[in-house]
Amino acid sequence: MSYSSLVTQPPYHIKKTALLLLLTSSFAMADVTLDTVVVTATRSERRVDDTPVRTEVISRAEIEKTHARTLKDAIENIPGLQLREVHGKSGYELSLQGLSSDQVLVLIDGLPIAASTSSTVNLSQYLLSEVDHIEVIKGAASAQYGSSAMGGVINVITRRVKPGFSGSADASLGSYGAQNDSGKFWDAGLKHGQFQLEGGSEHWRARLSGDVLDDAGFGAKPENWSRQGDASKRQQYGAKLSWLPQAGDELWVEGSHYREDDVQRYQRYVPPRLLAQEKTEGIARDRFVAGAKTSFANGMRVQAQLLDEVYDSEGKEYSLGDLMSVRRFEQHLNHLTAQVDLPAWYSQLWQFGVDWRKENVSQSVNGVSEFLGSKKVSKESRELFVQNDIFFGDDWEVVLGLRVQDDSDFGMHAAPKIALRGNVWESGDWKGVLRGSFGQGYRVPNLKERHFLFDHSSLGYMVLGNPNLKPESSNSWQLGGNLALSRKVSLDINAYFNQVKDLIQVDEINAVTSNGVSKFTYKNIARTETRGIETALDWRVSDQLNINTSYTYSLSKDLDSGKALTRRPENMARFGLDWEVLAGSTFTLRSRYQSAELIDSAKNAHSDAWMTTDIKFNQKINKNITAYIGIDNVQDTQRDFSNPNDFGPISGRFIYMGSRFAWGS
C-alpha cells in the first residue's frame, strides 16, 4: 500500500513436536479482510494488513458464530493466550508471552477498564452486546499506552452507531448435564439474553443495549454442599448519544451499568469435621465517557475522551450460615486523553498526545481498613507521548514512539519504541511482509501491591502489601513475518524475547506461618525473561471451508535462581475449522491444547496437560433469524478437584441452544 493512499531475538531451537504443529492468524482472521480497519497498533486508523505492529482481530462474525458471551469467551482462541481463574473471584484473567494479567492492558475504545481489587481485569465482567471487534497486539506497548502495557494490549472496539433504525436480540440456555446445581440433567444451568437498539439521522444517533448472563453454577457432585462452579448473575446495560454536525466531526456521551451477584460454596476442615462455608459478592461498575473528535481540511485530526468509572464490591463470608465478615471495596478511576494527528509532512505522520489518570481505592473488613495505615489510598499520573510514522517509498515504514510519565509515587519515567514494516517480496498473488519492533515497557506497582493488608485468615492466609516495591521495566523484541497467497493462504511466524527487571509477584517461598495462618508479601524478582515463537496458518480451502491452526512455544525463567516461572506452559496450540455445510448452515470447531505447567518450583509440582474442543452449528432460518446449538468441551475434560496442583478446565461438558434475531440497517 502506498504512502499517498493512507487516511528481537532470532528464533531458537524448537522441539520436533513444535515443527509438527507449524501450521497464523487467530481464528477470527477467517472473517477479517485485508481492508479491515484497526486503531490499536498506531493509535490511528490503518488497514490491518498495513500495520507496522502485528494486530490480531476477533471480528463480530467470530463472536456470533462461536456464541461468545463474555470477553473471556471471545478471546480464548487467540494464539498464545493463557486464561487463568482470578484468585478468590468468579472470573478469569489472562497471560500473554509469559507476562501476567497485571502486565497486559485491557481497554474499551482506547480507555482503561477498572480492575477488580485494583489489580487484574476480570475478563468475565465485560459482556459483548455493544462490541464490534477486538484488537490484540503483543509485546511492550508502553510508548503508546503507558503503564501496564508491558505484555501487550487488548482493545475492545464498540460498534459505531449507524443512521436508520436497527436492532438485534439473542437468547440461549444450556445445561451442565449431571453437574447441574439442581441435580437434574436437562435443567437450564445457564441462561443468556441480550438486545441492542440503535439508529438516528445523519446528525443525531443513539444506542441502547442490554445483556444478562444468569449462571446457576455446577458441582462435581451436586448432592454435596461444595459447588466447583460458582453461581453468578451478570447484567450490563448501556446507552450512547452522538452528534455529528458535519463529516469528520463527532461529539458523544455514553454510559453503562454493570451488576454482578456471585455465590461461592465450599467446605473448610476444622477438626474433627468439615464446615459448610459460603461467600457472596455483589459488584457494581458505573462507567461514563464523553468524547469529541474533529478533522480539518488540511488533514489534521484532534480527538479527546474523558472517563469516569466507579467500581464497588461487597463480599460477605458465612460459616454454617452465620455471617463472619463483610469486605467492602471501592475504586474510583478518572482518565483524560487527548491526541493530535498532524497532516502528512515529507512522508511523515506526526502524532502528539497527553494522558492524565487518577485512581482512588478503599477497602475494609467489618469496618476496619485493609490498607496499611490508611483508609484510602490514591495515585495520579501525567503523561506525554509522541509518535512519528515515517514512510520510505511504498514498501518500507518505520514508527518511532516515546512516552514520558510523571507518577505521583515514582516520579519520571520514559519508554521508547521503534517498529519496522516492509514489503519484502511480491510475485503474482504472493506477498511477503516483514515486521520487527523493539520497545521498553514499564509498570508502576498498583495500590494493592503496595498497600493492601488482604486478610483471608479464615482460609489460612494473608497477603501484605510492600510499600518498598520498585516499578517493573522490560525490554521487548518482536520479529516476524507474513507470507500470503491472495486471500487463500496466510502464514505468520513471530519470535519474541522479553527481559523483565524487578518483576513483582507474591513471595511464596518466604511465607511466615503463625497460628495456622500463612503470611505472604510481594517482592521484586531482579531479572526474568520470557522468549518464544508463535506460528499460525489460515487456509481458505474453498468458499465453504476455512481451516486455521496455531502453535506457541514459550520459555520463562528467573535468571537469578535459574528456575522456570510458575503457571506458564511451554506449549499451546489452537485449531479451528469453519464449514458452510449448506447455504445458511455453518459448522464451527475450535480446539485448544495446553501442555503441563509448573505450579511449585520448590516441589517441582506440575499441572497436567489438557485439551478441549468446542463445536457449534448455526442455521439461518431467514434473513432475520438464526438458530444455533453448541457443545463446549466435547471431551468433558475437567480437573481433579481433589488435587490442589491440577489447574485444568473447571467446567466439564456444556450443551446449549439459542436463537438470534436481527433487523434493520
Side-chain angles (χ1 to χ4, degrees):
M1 183 179 183
S2 67
Y3 164 74
S4 59
S5 64
L6 277 171
V7 176
T8 155
Q9 187 82 354
Y12 44 89
H13 174 68
I14 307 175
K15 298 178 181 179
K16 291 182 179 179
T17 53
L19 295 175
L20 296 175
L21 287 164
L22 194 61
L23 296 174
T24 165
S25 295
S26 67
F27 296 106
M29 289 301 290
D31 304 299
V32 175
T33 70
L34 301 181
D35 296 322
T36 298
V37 175
V38 295
V39 297
T40 308
T42 60
R43 296 181 65 108
S44 59
E45 293 186 348
R46 299 290 297 272
R47 295 194 321 162
V48 66
D49 187 49
D50 295 325
T51 57
V53 177
R54 180 170 177 252
T55 304
E56 296 171 88
V57 181
I58 297 92
S59 67
R60 183 68 202 181
E62 171 75 4
I63 291 171
E64 290 184 350
K65 73 185 176 186
T66 59
H67 317 139
R69 303 173 186 89
T70 68
L71 182 55
K72 174 262 181 185
D73 299 335
I75 66 175
E76 65 181 350
N77 292 313
I78 294 173
L81 183 144
Q82 180 191 10
L83 292 170
R84 310 171 183 170
E85 307 90 71
V86 178
H87 185 69
K89 298 284 183 178
S90 301
Y92 286 83
E93 60 187 20
L94 63 88
S95 172
L96 272 179
Q97 295 194 347
L99 299 181
S100 69
S101 58
D102 291 330
Q103 299 155 332
V104 179
L105 187 61
V106 180
L107 305 171
I108 310 297
D109 289 327
L111 294 170
I113 186 170
S116 61
T117 64
S118 186
S119 179
T120 185
V121 171
N122 187 337
L123 302 169
S124 300
Q125 291 182 346
Y126 191 82
L127 307 180
L128 304 175
S129 59
E130 298 179 339
V131 176
D132 180 78
H133 67 278
I134 302 166
E135 300 174 9
V136 181
I137 59 174
K138 300 172 182 174
S142 292
Q144 285 98 349
Y145 293 99
S147 181
S148 300
M150 293 175 60
V153 175
I154 309 288
N155 195 4
V156 178
I157 308 299
T158 60
R159 298 179 182 182
R160 293 180 176 177
V161 183
K162 300 177 181 179
F165 179 71
S166 62
S168 63
D170 193 313
S172 65
L173 51 85
S175 169
Y176 295 104
Q179 294 190 357
N180 275 337
D181 185 61
S182 68
K184 299 179 180 179
F185 192 96
W186 291 112
D187 273 5
L190 182 147
K191 293 173 281 189
H192 176 239
Q194 67 175 214
F195 76 89
Q196 177 173 284
L197 298 171
E198 67 174 46
S201 64
E202 181 181 352
H203 299 297
W204 289 94
R205 300 175 193 176
R207 176 176 64 215
L208 294 173
S209 64
D211 208 320
V212 178
L213 181 62
D214 191 356
D215 189 343
F218 61 86
K221 295 181 179 180
E223 65 274 13
N224 293 345
W225 170 260
S226 295
R227 182 196 281 130
Q228 284 72 37
D230 299 336
S232 64
K233 185 174 183 179
R234 298 183 168 99
Q235 304 174 70
Q236 183 174 293
Y237 304 96
K240 181 176 183 178
L241 177 65
S242 296
W243 177 47
L244 300 86
Q246 60 185 14
D249 295 351
E250 183 178 3
L251 293 170
W252 70 91
V253 292
E254 57 184 313
S256 65
H257 172 73
Y258 174 85
R259 174 70 192 183
E260 177 178 342
D261 294 284
D262 298 324
V263 180
Q264 299 178 14
R265 293 208 311 249
Y266 54 95
Q267 289 181 310
R268 179 186 176 211
Y269 182 64
V270 179
R273 60 183 180 137
L274 289 168
L275 301 182
Q277 308 283 296
E278 183 175 79
K279 177 184 176 182
T280 66
E281 185 172 18
I283 298 167
R285 182 181 67 233
D286 291 297
R287 183 178 176 92
F288 174 81
V289 175
K293 63 180 180 180
T294 186
S295 299
F296 297 88
N298 64 357
M300 185 170 74
R301 297 185 302 276
V302 180
Q303 55 185 313
Q305 291 191 91
L306 173 65
L307 166 70
D308 183 86
E309 183 170 279
V310 177
Y311 182 100
D312 296 298
S313 74
E314 181 179 77
K316 298 180 179 180
E317 294 186 10
Y318 298 85
S319 180
L320 295 177
D322 295 326
L323 179 63
M324 305 301 292
S325 68
V326 179
R327 173 175 278 107
R328 291 186 172 90
F329 170 82
E330 179 178 318
Q331 179 183 18
H332 192 178
L333 174 64
N334 294 115
H335 190 102
L336 172 66
T337 182
Q339 177 179 316
V340 178
D341 293 86
L342 298 182
W345 178 74
Y346 289 100
S347 299
Q348 301 175 56
L349 294 174
W350 284 91
Q351 179 185 99
F352 299 90
V354 294
D355 281 321
W356 170 79
R357 174 176 173 141
K358 185 174 183 180
E359 182 180 354
N360 296 294
V361 176
S362 63
Q363 180 163 306
S364 64
V365 173
N366 299 330
V368 179
S369 175
E370 281 199 297
F371 285 108
L372 300 171
S374 176
K375 292 185 177 181
K376 179 181 290 188
V377 293
S378 63
K379 64 177 181 178
E380 183 177 348
S381 67
R382 295 162 293 277
E383 306 171 36
L384 171 68
F385 61 91
V386 60
Q387 178 178 279
N388 189 17
D389 204 343
I390 309 170
F391 297 84
F392 299 92
D394 291 341
D395 293 323
W396 289 93
E397 174 184 1
V398 173
V399 177
L400 304 173
L402 176 68
R403 177 179 290 257
V404 178
Q405 171 173 323
D406 180 19
D407 186 85
S408 58
D409 294 326
F410 296 96
M412 301 288 290
H413 186 94
K417 182 168 185 174
I418 179 172
L420 169 74
R421 180 192 181 279
N423 298 323
V424 295
W425 182 62
E426 193 162 1
S427 177
D429 290 335
W430 288 93
K431 182 178 181 180
V433 174
L434 175 70
R435 289 183 175 93
S437 67
F438 167 77
Q440 290 188 339
Y442 68 95
R443 183 179 78 87
V444 297
N446 60 49
L447 295 173
K448 166 187 173 181
E449 292 164 335
R450 296 187 64 214
H451 301 290
F452 264 19
L453 192 162
F454 203 59
D455 190 350
H456 268 293
S457 300
S458 61
L459 300 179
Y461 74 94
M462 295 174 63
V463 181
L464 306 178
N466 181 357
N468 298 317
L469 288 172
K470 295 179 288 187
E472 300 174 334
S473 60
S474 70
N475 293 322
S476 175
W477 287 266
Q478 310 282 324
L479 178 62
N482 170 266
L483 182 64
L485 170 60
S486 185
R487 297 176 185 266
K488 296 293 184 181
V489 179
S490 177
L491 173 66
D492 277 284
I493 300 177
N494 185 69
Y496 64 87
F497 181 62
N498 297 304
Q499 295 175 309
V500 183
K501 181 181 178 182
D502 295 321
L503 178 72
I504 300 170
Q505 69 177 34
V506 174
D507 184 2
E508 298 180 357
I509 296 176
N510 298 311
V512 177
T513 302
S514 176
N515 297 323
V517 178
S518 297
K519 296 181 180 180
F520 302 91
T521 190
Y522 294 93
K523 72 170 184 176
N524 291 105
I525 299 176
R527 297 180 305 133
T528 62
E529 70 175 32
T530 70
R531 53 193 173 104
I533 188 167
E534 294 181 343
T535 67
L537 175 73
D538 189 90
W539 178 24
R540 185 167 290 281
V541 182
S542 68
D543 291 340
Q544 291 75 39
L545 179 63
N546 193 88
I547 295 174
N548 43 67
T549 185
S550 70
Y551 170 78
T552 302
Y553 177 66
S554 181
L555 293 175
S556 59
K557 184 182 291 186
D558 178 344
L559 297 179
D560 289 342
S561 68
K563 296 180 179 180
L565 300 178
T566 58
R567 297 301 313 273
R568 291 162 172 87
E570 286 190 7
N571 304 286
M572 287 186 284
R574 302 286 189 264
F575 177 81
L577 180 148
D578 296 289
W579 177 30
E580 188 176 9
V581 183
L582 297 170
S585 303
T586 305
F587 172 81
T588 296
L589 180 146
R590 298 289 182 265
S591 189
R592 296 170 290 276
Y593 167 80
Q594 180 174 301
S595 67
E597 56 181 309
L598 180 67
I599 302 302
D600 188 326
S601 56
K603 299 179 181 179
N604 197 33
H606 287 76
S607 179
D608 290 339
W610 55 266
M611 180 177 179
T612 62
T613 300
D614 304 337
I615 57 175
K616 325 279 184 175
F617 184 78
N618 294 274
Q619 177 61 56
K620 199 164 186 62
I621 306 301
N622 56 40
K623 67 177 184 178
N624 299 116
I625 301 175
T626 300
Y628 57 84
I629 59 174
I631 305 176
D632 292 342
N633 194 356
V634 174
Q635 302 99 316
D636 200 22
T637 302
Q638 194 171 26
R639 69 179 57 174
D640 178 1
F641 293 106
S642 66
N643 179 4
N645 292 323
D646 192 341
F647 284 85
I650 294 179
S651 175
R653 186 181 298 117
F654 177 71
I655 304 171
Y656 64 91
M657 61 186 300
S659 63
R660 182 169 51 253
F661 178 49
W663 70 93
S665 57

